[in-house]
Amino acid sequence: MNDQELEVLLNDLESDRVERKASISDKGKLCEAICAFANDLPNHQKVGVLFIGVHDNGICANLSIDDRLLLILSAMRSDGNILPFPTMIVQKRSIGGCELAVVIVEPSDAPPVRFNGRVWIRVGPRRATATAEEERRLAEKRRSKDLPFDLWPLSSASLDDLDLEIFRRVYLPSALANDILQENQRTVEQQLQSMRFATVDPLPKPTILGVLVIGNDPRQFVPSAYVQFLRIDGIELTDPIKDQKEIGGPLPDLLRMLDETFQVHISVATDITAQPIELRQPDYPIVALQQLGRNAVMHRTYEGTNAPVRITWFNDRIEIQNPGGPFGQVNRQNFGKAGITDYRNPHLAEAMKNLGYVQRFGIGIQYARQQLQKNGNPPLEFTVEDAHVLVTLKRKP
């Protein structure tokens, strides 16, 4: 948007496409505003704008707009509190002689968007959590959008192919705020639609996301939805096999079993000579394995392939290979760099965050590197190809 368009919005004190804040002291309110603009309940199909550095009455607050403030605002997009990730631009602008930070938020292609488990909307002067009817209207807006693969409907499946016990017992309590859950009077179909696990149709169908997260048998509909684990007693694929398994099932079960498999195969060495007390150090830090394994499940492509995530554990190294090359703004040159991330399966990423398997988006590789260095392992090695990504962890010497 140019300065003239922004100035018109800034001076329109009645517009429901604008919010003004004098500072960033209340980041929760800023996130609520971003969430509300992303939901675009009035269906303006136009951006919403959050002006930082101006009072509600339009008077300049004379706030210093520095790089730190802009970075704080930019981080709100992908810190995992607003899901799915909003599309937004953060800029420093001077409008009418007032220095401002401007956050421009695009309407989401896959509403409802939630901030900390709540759907925020804005209609006229009102910003509040959405009612069940308002949330239903938001869900219906998804019908005509060009959706990512994880939201595609499965015409050959029915709601009977979803494990509603896992949905009620595991997923809903993880995804929604407790007070929202207690007040929830929606039908199971409406709940599934709200979580994007089912289409918003007279006869709802499970989505790819629904089958991956809570499906009775995800591989029936997404054949590649599993992890192939191979433990080799040696350093070559032709060496004897000590253990092998296919780890599958709904996402909570798959991730739990993957963690258990890592734990079983880690070796811990005991050193009683270097210190007065016994030191126990693993050959690989479990946190690094968890981060890289979950990254592979999250970022792989599930479309157009029957290949699983492959984890091959040799005596001297571990190789984790996932189908699908770099995606979006990630390329071979910037792969693995701090702050560079994109999401082929944004709603699967949201589900993993809701389930507690992701604490913050965009730091998994950095955290794994940190843990490996702390444990004394050599640096990670990446092989980035168009069709796959291979990460190699070297055993602690």
Side-chain angles (χ1 to χ4, degrees):
M1 300 183 72
N2 59 40
D3 288 350
Q4 184 177 1
E5 291 172 317
L6 287 172
E7 188 168 5
V8 169
L9 280 176
L10 178 61
N11 294 328
D12 186 351
L13 301 182
E14 302 299 322
S15 175
D16 61 0
R17 293 175 52 211
V18 179
E19 285 215 24
R20 303 164 189 81
K21 297 294 180 185
S23 71
I24 62 169
S25 59
D26 192 340
K27 291 194 288 185
K29 295 297 184 185
L30 301 179
C31 289
E32 290 172 9
I34 292 169
C35 179
F37 288 143
N39 278 318
D40 185 28
L41 182 66
N43 204 28
H44 292 305
Q45 298 184 33
K46 296 180 179 179
V47 299
V49 183
L50 179 60
F51 293 100
I52 314 294
V54 63
H55 295 285
D56 281 338
N57 57 10
I59 297 176
C60 184
N62 296 312
L63 180 68
S64 176
I65 310 299
D66 55 18
D67 288 344
R68 176 180 171 276
L69 184 146
L70 296 175
L71 286 172
I72 290 172
L73 292 172
S74 298
M76 292 179 182
R77 174 190 178 269
S78 56
D79 63 5
N81 293 316
I82 305 175
L83 296 170
F85 309 114
T87 300
M88 58 187 245
I89 299 172
V90 178
Q91 298 175 331
K92 178 180 179 179
R93 305 287 281 268
S94 181
I95 301 173
C98 184
E99 192 174 81
L100 300 169
V102 178
V103 181
I104 302 171
V105 184
E106 296 277 353
S108 173
D109 281 344
V113 178
R114 291 178 170 81
F115 167 56
N116 284 343
R118 291 178 171 84
V119 177
W120 290 90
I121 58 168
R122 185 177 173 92
V123 180
R126 181 172 74 95
R127 172 160 44 83
T129 53
T131 64
E133 173 59 21
E134 288 165 337
E135 193 169 326
R136 183 191 64 79
R137 288 169 54 194
L138 288 171
E140 286 182 343
K141 290 168 63 178
R142 298 203 300 266
R143 287 178 173 175
S144 61
K145 302 294 184 179
D146 183 12
L147 300 177
F149 180 72
D150 57 6
L151 290 192
W152 285 13
L154 283 164
S155 58
S156 60
S158 72
L159 297 189
D160 290 338
D161 293 305
L162 302 180
D163 189 331
L164 300 184
E165 176 62 22
I166 288 181
F167 181 60
R168 295 191 190 97
R169 178 176 51 83
V170 177
Y171 193 80
L172 281 180
S174 302
L176 296 179
N178 188 55
D179 58 329
I180 298 295
L181 195 60
Q182 289 179 351
E183 296 172 4
N184 201 331
Q185 300 298 317
R186 300 171 186 142
T187 65
V188 172
E189 285 187 2
Q190 290 171 331
Q191 291 174 325
L192 290 168
Q193 291 167 341
S194 177
M195 294 293 107
R196 304 176 189 81
F197 292 168
T199 60
V200 184
D201 293 304
L203 294 175
K205 291 289 186 179
T207 60
I208 297 287
L209 177 68
V211 164
L212 289 176
V213 179
I214 60 166
N216 291 316
D217 182 10
R219 291 179 64 181
Q220 180 182 351
F221 303 99
V222 187
S224 62
Y226 68 103
V227 176
Q228 183 182 78
F229 179 86
L230 194 62
R231 179 67 167 93
I232 303 291
D233 189 11
I235 60 173
E236 303 290 344
L237 274 174
T238 52
D239 289 331
I241 296 173
K242 289 181 66 175
D243 188 19
Q244 60 180 327
K245 62 182 65 178
E246 293 183 353
I247 304 170
L251 187 65
D253 291 349
L254 183 151
L255 295 175
R256 174 182 53 78
M257 288 187 288
L258 184 58
D259 282 358
E260 291 172 355
T261 302
F262 285 145
Q263 290 279 13
V264 166
H265 286 274
I266 287 177
S267 297
V268 178
T270 300
D271 185 352
I272 60 174
T273 61
Q275 300 289 338
I277 60 174
E278 178 182 291
L279 292 179
R280 296 173 60 82
Q281 285 192 301
D283 50 358
Y284 299 96
I286 182 62
V287 172
L289 293 176
Q290 289 171 335
Q291 292 291 331
L292 296 170
R294 293 166 189 176
N295 258 20
V297 172
M298 180 192 300
H299 291 291
R300 61 152 299 165
T301 181
Y302 291 88
E303 182 181 3
T305 179
N306 292 326
V309 171
R310 289 189 170 92
I311 300 176
T312 310
W313 192 310
F314 297 93
N315 286 348
D316 64 340
R317 70 193 186 280
I318 300 172
E319 295 180 352
I320 302 176
Q321 179 175 310
N322 61 294
F327 178 82
Q329 67 173 336
V330 181
N331 55 45
R332 293 189 187 190
Q333 288 69 42
N334 64 24
F335 188 93
K337 291 185 178 179
I340 306 296
T341 189
D342 215 325
Y343 295 88
R344 177 181 277 111
N345 308 298
H347 306 94
L348 183 64
E350 174 187 357
M352 292 178 68
K353 174 67 165 58
N354 287 337
L355 288 166
Y357 285 96
V358 176
Q359 282 68 52
R360 286 175 54 197
F361 289 114
I363 66 165
I365 291 177
Q366 284 68 44
Y367 195 32
R369 281 175 168 149
Q370 180 188 79
Q371 294 297 309
L372 287 165
Q373 183 181 30
K374 184 178 178 180
N375 194 60
N377 294 78
L380 283 176
E381 296 178 3
F382 290 98
T383 303
V384 182
E385 303 291 349
D386 292 338
H388 74 268
V389 173
L390 172 68
V391 56
T392 302
L393 301 83
K394 297 292 185 65
R395 181 178 178 140
K396 175 183 169 64

